[in-house]
Amino acid sequence: MPMARGKRDRKSESVSRLGGSNLRGLRTILWLLIIMGLLLWVWAPARDGRQIEYSAFRQQLQEGNVERVTVQGERIEGRLEEAISIEVNGRTITLDRFITYVPSFGDDQLMSLLEQEGVAIQTLPEREWSWLWLLFIVAFPFLLLIGLGYLQYKRMGGQGGMGGGMGPFSMTKSRAKKYEKGQQRTTFDDVAGAEGAKEELQEIVAFFKDPGRIQRLGGDVPTGVLLVGPSGTGKTLLARAVAGEADVSFFRITGSDFMEMFVGVGASRVRNMFSEAKKSAPSIIFIDELDSIGRRRGAGLGGGHDEREQTLNQLLSEMDGFEPHENVIVMAATNRPDILDPALMRPGRFDRRVLVPMPTLRDRVAILRIHARKKPLADDVDLETIARGTPGFSGADLENLLKEAALLAARHKKDEIFREDIENARDKILMGLERRGMAMTEQERRMIAFHESGHAITAALLPNADPIHKVSTIPRDRSLGVTQQLPEKDKYIYRREYMLDRLAVMMGGRAAEELVFSTSTSGAGNDLQEATKLARIMVLQWGMSEKFCNMALGGEEEEVFLGQELAGRRGYSEDTAREVDEEVRSILREAYGKSRAI
């Protein structure tokens, strides 16, 4: 199982760029609003300190105290013969100049009254708004919308992608992350395990380093390489290691990055990605989670997804159109090869299939050594014992195991990671957190203790059962107790005797309950589910029953998935189904009898 020495996390960098662009856009809009407010404040009419009521003006005019006036529209500004005192906002002020406004209904007698009193009259045209100011008032809403649109554009551009930002005007550009030559530092030395996969991929490296050697023999490097394996086994790391060993450009993208709400965008991104890869040749294109766009076309209840199928068609076309001298190889990874479109697997496309399996015991030891190099381990930590106690763990699981152990050690203020911390971390990963606040009665605790003892005694006395590693009655999220068995070595073929003893161990808890307490409890629910599932597999798929010896009926346990039939088709009749149920019942009855006898 491959694991890397170090992983660069570029998420924080992209987030900081995104936050910076948003801040700059908000600052621009804020300045626009401030400028508009200042302009409105300058040009907006305000109440002058010399403004008096119109009735007061008429009174002063009738008393002959007005010397001269200047009329501009409805505004009247003038000077008095003698200063007067008026009250404004609760305080008295003295004025020799005044400002007032003609009422909206007008004053027909004003002009004759001014002439009668001998007041000097000056008239000015009405004040007109500047055409620049009017243009600004009309254009400001549009400027504000443009500013908001620019801010949205910068926000979308901060999401990254090949060729810079991914704004609305560059939606069809590929989102593949490009690593230039020399930038990809991962090599096969950084990969632990997966020897078979590395040997297969060495041919790709050899082609990039010396393409003529293969071509002189009449051979050709595969156009596409499909990495198949469970999640967390390091398929992406292997692709990076190939690029690092060959020292070529590396383009990384996930299948979901092609998909968009607009039809045709995915196909355009495929074309753009291959165009960029050809310009940087020799190069490697790595598509992670290929099954998100490569599912079988025209299958399922609702038909195909138009955008996904167009994207897949463009991918097939680009791969089939490669010429040998272009030196571009497509690598992809998936954990669901069974749902891929058959056209992807034909020669000329993904014609090389590399299996990346779960790590073996030796691989797990190597992986743990890589991740333990920078962690202070105590003397009681044996990595081989830990590897033996983690069957079925992927490389990502093992990395997470040591991280959780480090957190537990730090929580208890330890300077080193002890074996106890790793054991507790493994229990936390497999069974969840401890339920410390759970209050059980004495009777419940005794039932759990005898239940787990039934598993332990059965496992200890059966000759084909795995050795017991740990028995615990500490309640956790997914169980109230557990009996752990560790195989002495990895198993790839299971004998019938081993499976029958395994079923008996599962039945040990229920047998102890009935023997000691003369009852049965819900605590055996998960044991019975797993035992029934295993017994049915023995009958249907492995032919481990008397009536269906050497027969694999199968079909019933197949997983229903999009693109497949809604319901699995059974290859046997209803009478056979009843006989299958009877065989499963017989196997479980035999396992329970063996456990009860022990």
Side-chain angles (χ1 to χ4, degrees):
M1 152 66 207
M3 294 304 299
R5 297 186 181 204
K7 298 181 180 178
R8 295 183 179 179
D9 187 5
R10 303 185 181 274
K11 182 177 180 181
S12 59
E13 181 181 351
S14 62
V15 169
S16 63
R17 288 199 303 267
L18 178 59
S21 62
N22 285 344
L23 185 60
R24 288 192 296 270
L26 290 173
R27 190 181 294 118
T28 302
I29 294 177
L30 181 61
W31 276 112
L32 289 175
L33 293 175
I34 292 175
I35 292 173
M36 182 182 180
L38 290 175
L39 292 174
L40 291 176
W41 178 76
V42 171
W43 269 288
R47 180 180 178 90
D48 196 288
R50 298 174 296 166
Q51 184 174 341
I52 63 176
E53 297 175 352
Y54 185 74
S55 59
F57 162 67
R58 286 293 300 263
Q59 181 181 354
Q60 294 298 321
L61 181 61
Q62 292 173 356
E63 294 176 358
N65 194 31
V66 178
E67 179 181 348
R68 60 183 300 117
V69 295
T70 301
V71 181
Q72 185 178 24
E74 295 180 350
R75 187 173 188 270
I76 301 176
E77 183 178 355
R79 186 170 59 192
L80 302 174
E81 295 280 355
E82 297 180 1
I84 61 173
S85 298
I86 62 174
E87 186 174 344
V88 178
N89 296 330
R91 61 190 184 92
T92 302
I93 61 175
T94 302
L95 298 176
D96 60 351
R97 293 178 180 273
F98 67 89
I99 296 174
T100 190
Y101 292 88
V102 178
S104 59
F105 50 82
D107 187 349
D108 297 335
Q109 301 176 0
L110 177 61
M111 192 63 187
S112 59
L113 187 58
L114 289 171
E115 292 177 351
Q116 179 180 342
E117 297 294 335
V119 178
I121 303 173
Q122 180 184 7
T123 60
L124 297 176
E126 287 191 34
R127 180 178 180 180
E128 296 182 356
W129 291 99
S130 169
W131 67 272
L132 291 175
W133 174 244
L134 293 176
L135 178 63
F136 176 78
I137 293 177
V138 174
F140 181 77
F142 297 98
L143 294 176
L144 184 61
L145 291 176
I146 292 174
L148 293 174
Y150 178 75
L151 176 62
Q152 179 69 8
Y153 171 81
K154 295 298 291 182
R155 187 186 69 82
M156 295 178 66
Q159 294 175 2
M162 189 168 57
M166 294 299 298
F169 303 106
S170 58
M171 186 177 296
T172 58
K173 289 186 178 181
S174 170
R175 298 196 177 194
K177 179 64 178 179
K178 180 180 179 182
Y179 299 87
E180 296 289 352
K181 297 180 181 179
Q183 187 179 357
Q184 188 58 252
R185 300 298 183 184
T186 306
T187 64
F188 285 139
D189 292 335
D190 302 314
V191 178
E195 299 300 330
K198 288 192 289 186
E199 185 176 352
E200 289 287 324
L201 295 175
Q202 284 286 2
E203 297 179 6
I204 310 296
V205 177
F207 171 78
F208 280 122
K209 291 184 176 180
D210 186 13
R213 181 169 63 90
I214 298 178
Q215 294 172 352
R216 284 192 299 268
L217 297 174
D220 194 9
V221 73
T223 304
V225 179
L226 182 63
L227 302 176
V228 179
S231 300
T233 52
K235 300 181 290 294
T236 302
L237 179 63
L238 277 174
R240 293 173 57 189
V242 172
E245 288 282 347
D247 194 22
V248 297
S249 299
F250 182 69
F251 296 83
R252 182 184 182 277
I253 192 171
T254 61
S256 60
D257 286 334
F258 292 110
M259 307 303 295
E260 198 63 67
M261 63 180 294
F262 304 105
V263 177
V265 172
S268 299
R269 288 176 178 173
V270 172
R271 287 192 295 269
N272 181 262
M273 180 182 66
F274 278 88
S275 175
E276 294 292 331
K278 292 175 184 178
K279 292 178 184 178
S280 303
S283 61
I284 293 176
I285 296 175
F286 178 67
I287 305 175
D288 203 0
E289 304 297 340
L290 179 65
D291 48 274
S292 62
I293 61 169
R295 294 175 185 172
R296 191 185 306 270
R297 292 169 291 182
L301 283 180
H305 187 288
D306 290 339
E307 171 65 357
R308 180 180 59 79
E309 291 195 359
Q310 288 190 25
T311 305
L312 175 59
N313 292 336
Q314 186 63 41
L315 177 62
L316 295 174
S317 176
E318 292 288 344
M319 292 186 66
D320 202 25
F322 275 168
E323 296 294 336
H325 64 271
E326 290 179 346
N327 294 339
V328 178
I329 293 179
V330 183
M331 301 183 68
T334 182
N335 56 3
R336 291 301 309 271
D338 54 308
I339 66 172
L340 294 180
D341 194 279
L344 280 171
M345 310 304 294
R346 75 161 178 81
R349 288 170 182 153
F350 288 105
D351 45 11
R352 175 67 63 87
R353 182 169 171 172
V354 178
L355 178 63
V356 186
M358 297 294 285
T360 63
L361 175 60
R362 185 176 62 179
D363 294 340
R364 293 197 297 272
V365 174
I367 294 168
L368 288 170
R369 285 174 179 166
I370 287 178
H371 292 297
R373 283 182 301 195
K374 296 182 179 181
K375 293 180 174 61
L377 299 181
D379 294 336
D380 65 343
V381 175
D382 184 7
L383 295 181
E384 293 188 4
T385 303
I386 297 173
R388 192 169 66 87
T390 52
F393 273 49
S394 65
D397 294 331
L398 294 173
E399 180 183 12
N400 185 48
L401 174 66
L402 293 184
K403 287 182 178 179
E404 287 289 341
L407 291 175
L408 291 176
R411 183 182 303 171
H412 295 90
K413 299 181 180 180
K414 299 179 181 178
D415 296 328
E416 294 179 318
I417 301 174
F418 290 84
R419 181 180 61 84
E420 179 186 9
D421 300 319
I422 298 178
E423 293 281 349
N424 292 333
R426 184 182 60 186
D427 292 344
K428 177 182 176 182
I429 293 173
L430 293 177
M431 295 174 290
L433 295 172
E434 286 188 31
R435 299 161 71 175
R436 297 182 181 274
M438 187 175 183
M440 292 189 296
T441 64
E442 182 66 24
Q443 180 70 6
E444 288 175 335
R445 286 198 296 268
R446 291 190 73 246
M447 284 186 173
I448 294 173
F450 275 99
H451 179 99
E452 298 304 331
S453 298
H455 289 308
I457 294 173
T458 308
L461 297 180
L462 287 174
N464 299 300
D466 292 323
I468 299 173
H469 173 70
K470 182 178 182 180
V471 181
S472 172
T473 57
I474 298 176
R476 294 183 178 270
D477 287 346
R478 293 187 288 273
S479 67
L480 298 177
V482 66
T483 299
Q484 293 182 356
Q485 298 171 263
L486 293 185
E488 296 179 347
K489 58 183 179 179
D490 291 337
K491 290 184 173 65
Y492 304 100
I493 297 179
Y494 299 98
R495 298 171 55 195
R496 183 174 183 273
E497 293 78 9
Y498 173 81
M499 304 309 299
L500 292 175
D501 283 2
R502 183 173 178 82
L503 289 174
V505 174
M506 293 179 181
M507 293 292 183
R510 170 56 61 86
E513 292 172 355
E514 294 190 351
L515 284 172
V516 178
F517 301 102
S518 300
T519 187
S520 55
T521 70
S522 61
N526 185 66
D527 298 331
L528 299 180
Q529 290 178 7
E530 294 298 323
T532 304
K533 184 188 300 183
L534 180 57
R536 187 167 293 276
I537 292 175
M538 292 173 62
V539 174
L540 289 174
Q541 300 181 20
W542 297 341
M544 293 183 178
S545 66
E546 295 182 1
K547 288 187 178 180
F548 301 104
C549 182
N550 304 326
M551 291 182 63
L553 301 175
E556 190 167 309
E557 299 297 329
E558 291 180 359
E559 183 177 2
V560 178
F561 197 79
L562 180 62
Q564 304 289 339
E565 297 289 341
L566 177 64
R569 291 176 294 180
R570 270 193 331 203
Y572 47 89
S573 65
E574 291 295 332
D575 293 338
T576 303
R578 282 192 291 270
E579 293 181 0
V580 168
D581 293 339
E582 182 58 36
E583 285 294 287
V584 171
R585 189 180 301 111
S586 175
I587 291 175
L588 294 177
R589 189 184 302 115
E590 178 185 351
Y592 177 76
K594 182 187 297 185
S595 179
R596 187 181 178 90
I598 289 177

